[in-house]
Amino acid sequence: MAISLLEYNPLSQNQRVSGFEIPNDDLPRIYTTDNLLTDNELDTLMMAAYRQIYNEQQMLSSHRQLCLESQLCAGQITVRGFIRGLLLSDSFRRLVFECNNNYRFVEICIQRVLGRNVYGDREKITWSIVIATKGIEAFIDALLGSDEYLNNFGDSTVPYQRRRILPSRTKGEVTFAHTTRYGSDYRDRLPKQVFKGNKGAARLDYLRWEWQKSQPAIIGKIGAGFVYAGAGFVGILILAVFLGF
């Protein structure tokens, strides 16, 4: 038996308030294929899409989706199709979905796809039910096919954080790009190793997996012994060659 979806009402947020802003650094730059003139501009658009969906923390060459880039350049897919491919990529699944619960994953996707914050817990629960019953692909398709997405971004515009500022404010909200890609529950499960410095030094906590931790001191001494022994043996051989032994 399928679980019925909850209904939720939109909350009063910046993107739901109309207004007029004077262009400044707080306003997002809009990237769209409607006015592209050169290949360099298309490359800039794709980088903007990577930054919007993958965030700065995942902007690595190993996470590039070359097949999707080729299809977009050839006009085989739209910008919305390119965004869909990024959201369903293995990199996004491993680095965002697998290290979050469904509620946090819903929050991140709404921020990056619809360009706004979630409308409270009921919206997170509603979309979490979709993920649990229909899967990630159905959830992504529902976001990209929603009236909210189509009315604001359509097929040709890269999503962006909408209405970061209000006329009565001098600064915009903190960008979604500054938020972490995982929640506090996943962070608290990471292994920790505490390094203590001098009494007057600050105490720092660093995240370390097992392979990153320092090796025991005895291993370092054994390795140094092998190095010195090898150097001594090579020295004896060189001396023997020069003396004619």
Side-chain angles (χ1 to χ4, degrees):
M1 180 177 178
I3 302 176
S4 58
L5 298 181
L6 297 176
E7 295 183 359
Y8 59 89
N9 296 321
L11 303 178
S12 179
Q13 295 183 352
N14 284 7
Q15 85 282 346
R16 300 188 67 238
V17 181
S18 59
F20 175 78
E21 296 90 13
I22 298 175
N24 55 48
D25 291 339
D26 279 335
L27 293 179
R29 182 176 178 182
I30 299 177
Y31 297 90
T32 177
T33 54
D34 292 338
N35 54 7
L36 291 182
L37 300 177
T38 65
D39 292 339
N40 290 335
E41 291 178 335
L42 185 58
D43 291 338
T44 303
L45 181 144
M46 289 189 290
M47 288 301 102
Y50 277 116
R51 187 174 293 106
Q52 175 68 20
I53 303 302
Y54 279 1
N55 216 327
E56 295 288 355
Q57 305 161 9
Q58 298 170 240
M59 292 288 289
L60 301 175
S61 59
S62 59
H63 295 155
R64 288 184 61 184
Q65 306 299 316
L66 299 181
C67 182
L68 291 175
E69 292 182 19
S70 176
Q71 291 176 335
L72 181 61
C73 292
Q76 297 175 347
I77 59 175
T78 62
V79 172
R80 184 160 68 108
F82 185 73
I83 296 296
R84 181 181 185 274
L86 296 183
L87 291 167
L88 296 178
S89 65
D90 179 68
S91 296
F92 191 80
R93 175 185 288 269
R94 287 187 296 103
L95 297 177
V96 180
F97 176 72
E98 293 182 359
C99 62
N100 285 296
N101 55 43
N102 285 353
Y103 301 131
R104 175 60 179 163
F105 181 69
V106 167
E107 183 178 16
I108 290 176
C109 288
I110 288 180
Q111 288 177 344
R112 301 185 187 182
V113 177
L114 299 183
R116 63 166 173 86
N117 279 316
V118 293
Y119 292 138
D121 292 337
R122 289 184 69 87
E123 184 178 22
K124 288 193 287 187
I125 294 173
T126 299
W127 288 117
S128 297
I129 293 174
V130 174
I131 296 175
T133 56
K134 299 181 180 180
I136 302 177
E137 185 171 350
F139 166 59
I140 297 302
D141 288 339
L143 287 184
L144 294 175
S146 64
D147 292 338
E148 182 178 4
Y149 183 91
L150 295 176
N151 292 335
N152 286 282
F153 308 116
D155 286 326
S156 58
T157 302
V158 176
Y160 54 87
Q161 186 171 347
R162 296 179 282 147
R163 291 304 315 281
R164 285 186 55 227
I165 62 175
L166 288 173
S168 59
R169 296 184 180 180
T170 57
K171 294 183 179 180
E173 298 173 320
V174 175
T175 61
F176 297 143
H178 288 82
T179 59
T180 58
R181 63 178 173 83
Y182 50 78
S184 58
D185 55 339
Y186 178 80
R187 178 201 61 200
D188 294 339
R189 294 198 304 268
L190 292 174
K192 293 184 178 180
Q193 183 175 4
V194 179
F195 293 86
K196 297 181 179 180
N198 299 328
K199 292 183 178 180
R203 181 174 178 176
L204 301 177
D205 291 349
Y206 292 91
L207 300 178
R208 288 289 186 268
W209 296 105
E210 290 297 329
W211 62 270
Q212 293 176 306
K213 295 180 179 179
S214 300
Q215 298 294 336
I218 185 63
I219 296 181
K221 293 180 180 180
I222 294 174
F226 281 115
V227 171
Y228 289 130
F233 180 72
V234 171
I236 293 174
L237 288 179
I238 294 175
L239 183 62
V241 171
F242 277 105
L243 295 179
F245 292 157

